[in-house]
Amino acid sequence: SERAQRVMPEVLQSALRLMIGCDCDDGCWCCVHMAKCPEYNACTSKRAAVRVIECLLRSGAEQQTVPSAGDSTLPAIQPPAMAPG
């Protein structure tokens, strides 16, 4: 846990650089898409991923830690509504 906490800012900064440096408009296989995504990457968003990482990095800089998923100060993230099929 401590080791992950120490390297997480560097991992997040690397991911952010990769996404920002990618020439795609809103996500591709090089920056945010996953080959094994069961929703065929329909819910992935490069812009959203960039914002989330920026918020995590900003929060980590303020607290010197990256918030965990169980942190009650983080807002709940609701999945997007799926269009009727």
Side-chain angles (χ1 to χ4, degrees):
S1 166
E2 286 181 31
R3 181 174 177 221
Q5 188 174 353
R6 284 194 310 269
V7 299
M8 190 55 65
E10 181 181 337
V11 170
L12 292 172
Q13 288 169 354
S14 257
L16 185 61
R17 280 193 300 274
L18 179 111
M19 285 186 275
I20 291 172
C22 188
D23 291 333
C24 71
D25 291 325
D26 195 36
C28 69
W29 298 103
C30 295
C31 63
V32 296
H33 289 183
M34 296 182 343
K36 293 185 178 185
C37 179
E39 287 87 25
Y40 305 102
N41 294 292
C43 297
T44 58
S45 167
K46 178 180 177 178
R47 288 174 287 179
V50 166
R51 289 221 173 163
V52 167
I53 291 177
E54 287 173 339
C55 287
L56 287 171
L57 288 169
R58 195 169 27 256
S59 175
E62 292 168 3
Q63 300 174 13
Q64 294 300 311
T65 62
V66 175
S68 67
D71 188 343
S72 62
T73 62
L74 294 176
I77 298 174
Q78 299 298 319
M82 298 300 290

